[in-house]
Amino acid sequence: MAEYIVAFITGGIVVMVGQLLMDLLQLSSAQLMVIFVVSGAILDGFHLYDRFIDFAGAGALVQMSSFGHFLVHGAMAEGERSGFLGVSMGLFEMTSASFTTVIVVSFFVAIMFRAKG
Amino acid sequence: MKTIDKLKTEYPKERKLLISNQWLQKSFLAFIAGGFISMFGQWIWNVYITSFSLTEKEAIAPMLATLIVISGLLTGLGWYKKLSRIFGAGVIVPITGFTNSLASAAMEYRHEGLVSGIGANMFRIGGAVLIYGVVSAYVVSMVRLLVETIIQ
Amino acid sequence: MVQRIGKQTWVIDEPCFIKETATVVGPDEYEGPLGHVFDDHIDDLYAGQSSWEKAEQRLVQKAVSQCIKKAGISEAEVDLYAAGDLMSQLATSYYAASQLPFPFLGAFSACATSMQLVALTAMSVSQRMVNHALISTSSHYGVAEKQFRLPIEHVKQRPKTAMKTVTGAGAALISSTPSPIAVQSFTFGRVIDWKVKDPTDLGQAMAPAAFSTIDDHLQAMGESIDDYDAIVTGDLSMFGSTQLQRLFRERGVEKMDLKHIDCGQLIYGSGSKTFAGGSGAACCPVVTFSSLFDHLRTGKYRRIFVVATGAIVNRSHLQQGETIPCVAHGVVFARNEALEEGRGDG
């Protein structure tokens, strides 16, 4: 039960930060998502995002910032195996499942539904 | 026209006031929505771990995929944008918001053909996220790898 | 004849009339407080077509055919057709006009197009260049969102100041034969830019343009707002309206709030929580041509000044850091008292 409460509170706080950024800096939704992905990647560069996931569980995993984290993770895993070339080889390794799902789902949604307005 | 010049300068201040009036309420609503999505994700994650006997790491991808499918369907039915009017960043920051930006752009252009419509426009908004994600992850990983090799 | 008074105001000496009008609106507008006064409506945004662009063409065609039918004239009697909409290259108007046998003029001044067209055609009618001139303006929520903002199903949380583009089309037949509503004078506005950059806050960007046009008009005519039953603005929304009233208060005109009506506020009612009001090229014509002209016909109003306000929202320019230039064109409509007393002399 405790992990649900932790996920709720941490996930809530992360999006609350997003909402405040959006309101106070007048960002568009695309800019907001970019900020989160980039900050996820940078935090992972210092091994901080892993600790955040260990603490918050899904509260950290479902956010856009975990995209950036997984990109760096995949790149580092491959990079440590096969050097600098590995960075570009492994970049999509861990996110490919999510990216594929997003693209396939979006495609079929667009085929099946039409915008209602 | 001194008074009109005064109005001109007053305008940005008023606009700021108008927005700052709402931020407490808006961020509370975002907190609820984001928290709920996270909790739901946690629940699916646990279900996958226990019922399919996956490890925690293996269950992440199906958990995210479930959220992505749900948000895709909600976008198609036209409910996701209604949720976003109320909850704002609460439904933008989670991965479901990224799905929505791809699916909505693809839906918008479906009448213009499968390739030049859906194909060409799916990443119209979400593309920025992909580009900055890849570029920043590349730079971060390169820097970290460089630092690690130097230290060793 | 048309006589120039002041720098940008013209008075029409030779009578020139609005013979008939027709309005077609979308589902949300039909459910609004003015729903019953519109001639026709569509049940969903697609209007039975496969895309929004085609639906908007359908709206224009419906409004035009309805207008000609109501006026009781044949298509051959229409000498000139002028139209405008929000889409780039005026695509909607051109496609709709390709189905019609009239000489066509397209014009664009964003949401101020309707009154610009009324003024231009009234000019040619009063010069007796043509007898019947048809105008139409249209806008469509889906088309506008797609072109100017984000996809329609995309997540968006707009500030309170955002407005909703009206789905609809308004058509009017301007003619030299005596009719209950006369076009008396018009003012073309200057382009005003008060350095507003926020495209979700067009109401306040357009308020200075509306102010300058109304102010210039009143000065040129030597009139005050008491000479009008209503000063109507196109789509200033709640926040633009307060801005306009405040600008007039600075000018020493205290009673503006009693005379001022905003079409964008009328069309969805003041209870709408999601939007500050309606906007779009169709907003001003659908309200003016239906509800307000009905008031002129029944005699509730005798003389109104309709100012349509337009803001140029260009994605590329805005993203390059430019501000939003705005324009407002005003036309004075009056009840044709002569016809009322049975001595219409045309």
Side-chain angles (χ1 to χ4, degrees):
Chain A
M1 196 60 214
E3 59 185 2
Y4 290 112
I5 295 168
V6 170
F8 187 91
I9 291 173
T10 47
I13 287 173
V14 172
V15 300
M16 206 163 85
V17 170
Q19 180 74 50
L20 289 176
L21 281 175
M22 201 163 78
D23 278 355
L24 301 179
L25 304 179
Q26 300 210 5
L27 300 177
S28 70
S29 54
Q31 285 168 317
L32 190 66
M33 284 192 274
V34 166
I35 287 178
F36 268 84
V37 169
V38 172
S39 56
I42 292 172
L43 283 177
D44 199 56
F46 298 102
H47 288 293
L48 290 173
Y49 209 83
D50 276 330
R51 284 183 208 168
F52 183 42
I53 289 176
D54 288 341
F55 172 69
L61 280 174
V62 301
Q63 315 297 352
M64 278 309 291
S65 40
S66 80
F67 248 18
H69 148 80
F70 280 129
L71 287 170
V72 173
H73 240 63
M76 283 312 294
E78 193 63 37
E80 271 155 19
R81 266 201 297 274
S82 46
F84 287 99
L85 259 181
V87 169
S88 38
M89 279 157 65
L91 197 73
F92 280 106
E93 214 161 73
M94 298 183 77
T95 29
S96 60
S98 306
F99 272 135
T100 314
T101 325
V102 170
I103 292 171
V104 171
V105 165
S106 302
F107 183 78
F108 284 110
V109 162
I111 298 279
M112 284 190 297
F113 299 96
R114 65 177 192 177
K116 288 200 179 56
Chain B
M1 299 291 259
K2 206 178 172 188
T3 45
I4 287 188
D5 283 338
K6 204 182 82 202
L7 274 183
K8 237 177 184 174
T9 51
E10 270 175 15
Y11 157 80
K13 283 181 210 157
E14 271 173 29
R15 167 141 184 98
K16 229 171 216 171
L17 205 73
L18 198 73
I19 292 163
S20 60
N21 276 340
Q22 284 181 302
W23 68 267
L24 198 67
Q25 184 201 0
K26 272 184 171 176
S27 46
F28 176 71
L29 286 170
F31 178 82
I32 298 289
F36 180 76
I37 292 174
S38 305
M39 206 165 71
F40 185 64
Q42 184 79 40
W43 179 69
I44 304 172
W45 199 18
N46 286 349
V47 167
Y48 284 150
I49 290 170
T50 51
S51 57
F52 298 106
S53 56
L54 299 170
T55 64
E56 282 199 350
K57 268 206 167 142
E58 283 169 343
I60 290 175
M63 181 263 278
L64 292 179
T66 314
L67 288 177
I68 287 164
V69 171
I70 291 172
S71 99
L73 286 176
L74 288 180
T75 303
L77 293 168
W79 295 348
Y80 205 83
K81 65 158 188 288
K82 285 179 190 160
L83 289 175
S84 78
R85 272 182 207 153
I86 307 165
F87 297 112
V91 291
I92 296 173
V93 175
I95 212 154
T96 48
F98 180 60
T99 318
N100 169 269
S101 64
L102 258 66
S104 62
M107 277 165 78
E108 187 88 358
Y109 287 90
R110 74 191 285 256
H111 305 297
E112 289 167 25
L114 286 176
V115 176
S116 56
I118 295 179
N121 290 295
M122 189 186 274
F123 280 96
R124 208 167 74 101
I125 296 147
V129 179
L130 195 61
I131 290 159
Y132 278 93
V134 169
V135 170
S136 63
Y138 187 81
V139 171
V140 166
S141 320
M142 275 300 193
V143 169
R144 213 178 99 183
L145 207 60
L146 196 70
V147 171
E148 279 176 12
T149 22
I150 289 169
I151 288 170
Q152 280 164 8
Chain C
M1 279 299 288
V2 180
Q3 217 170 5
R4 188 175 177 202
I5 292 177
K7 196 159 182 288
Q8 56 204 77
T9 304
W10 288 262
V11 173
I12 299 173
D13 289 345
E14 199 75 28
C16 168
F17 305 95
I18 304 282
K19 189 169 171 64
E20 201 48 80
T21 56
T23 46
V24 185
V25 293
D28 283 1
E29 291 72 22
Y30 183 67
E31 276 163 26
L34 292 180
H36 57 281
V37 299
F38 300 124
D39 292 314
D40 203 353
H41 71 281
I42 54 174
D43 291 324
D44 72 340
L45 280 181
Y46 284 96
Q49 308 291 313
S50 61
S51 73
W52 291 317
E53 286 81 0
K54 287 178 189 158
E56 195 182 343
Q57 287 169 37
R58 183 91 194 92
L59 282 173
V60 178
Q61 283 161 0
K62 268 189 168 187
V64 165
S65 60
Q66 184 99 359
C67 186
I68 294 174
K69 206 175 98 191
K70 273 172 79 180
I73 60 167
S74 71
E75 279 197 346
E77 284 178 79
V78 177
D79 302 316
L80 181 67
Y81 174 45
D85 60 276
L86 292 181
M87 220 182 160
S88 56
Q89 302 173 5
L90 298 178
T92 306
S93 302
Y94 274 94
Y95 276 104
S98 70
Q99 309 292 321
L100 300 165
F102 316 132
F104 177 75
L105 282 178
F108 183 84
S109 45
C111 311
T113 311
S114 54
M115 287 308 130
Q116 182 192 356
L117 291 175
V118 169
L120 287 174
T121 45
M123 234 192 277
S124 49
V125 168
S126 66
Q127 300 281 11
R128 296 293 180 263
M129 288 155 64
V130 291
N131 269 330
H132 297 290
L134 185 68
I135 66 142
S136 81
T137 36
S138 63
S139 60
H140 190 287
Y141 177 55
V143 175
E145 289 292 304
K146 186 174 170 182
Q147 185 172 334
F148 298 117
R149 302 182 189 98
L150 294 166
I152 209 162
E153 299 293 343
H154 194 271
V155 283
K156 54 193 90 162
Q157 190 172 40
R158 295 166 162 183
K160 271 185 191 170
T161 50
M163 298 185 282
K164 180 176 177 176
T165 305
V166 169
T167 306
L173 192 75
I174 289 126
S175 113
S176 51
T177 47
S179 312
I181 300 161
V183 181
Q184 282 192 333
S185 58
F186 52 85
T187 299
F188 290 134
R190 282 168 290 143
V191 179
I192 307 278
D193 190 344
W194 268 29
K195 308 291 173 214
V196 176
K197 277 188 176 177
D198 186 358
T200 60
D201 196 4
L202 297 179
Q204 296 201 43
M206 292 188 290
F211 168 74
S212 114
T213 303
I214 297 170
D215 196 43
D216 285 334
H217 179 84
L218 294 177
Q219 273 184 11
M221 301 284 286
E223 290 173 330
S224 75
I225 57 166
D226 296 326
D227 294 313
Y228 297 92
D229 290 308
I231 309 277
V232 184
T233 51
D235 45 6
L236 291 186
S237 84
M238 281 184 257
F239 300 95
S241 299
T242 22
Q243 183 84 342
L244 180 75
Q245 285 158 17
R246 214 163 35 174
L247 283 167
F248 271 101
R249 220 166 298 136
E250 295 289 321
R251 252 299 149 89
V253 183
E254 291 292 336
K255 284 182 190 157
M256 193 60 190
D257 48 338
L258 299 178
K259 298 276 180 184
H260 177 235
I261 295 175
D262 187 58
C263 298
Q265 270 178 291
L266 285 180
I267 193 159
Y268 294 118
S270 50
S272 171
K273 277 177 187 159
T274 29
F275 300 104
S279 70
C283 182
C284 183
V286 294
V287 175
T288 310
F289 292 171
S290 58
S291 164
L292 299 177
F293 278 9
D294 282 349
H295 288 329
L296 279 176
R297 286 190 190 106
T298 56
K300 188 183 168 194
Y301 292 156
R302 300 201 161 264
R303 198 153 172 262
I304 58 172
F305 184 33
V306 183
V307 182
T309 46
I312 307 300
V313 187
N314 186 300
R315 230 195 159 100
S316 312
H317 282 83
L318 278 182
Q319 280 173 356
Q320 288 167 23
E322 301 242 29
T323 51
I324 302 172
C326 299
V327 69
H329 302 304
V331 178
V332 176
F333 297 101
R335 187 174 150 80
N336 186 2
E337 303 289 352
L339 190 77
E340 211 52 42
E341 289 157 25
R343 40 181 191 83
D345 48 359

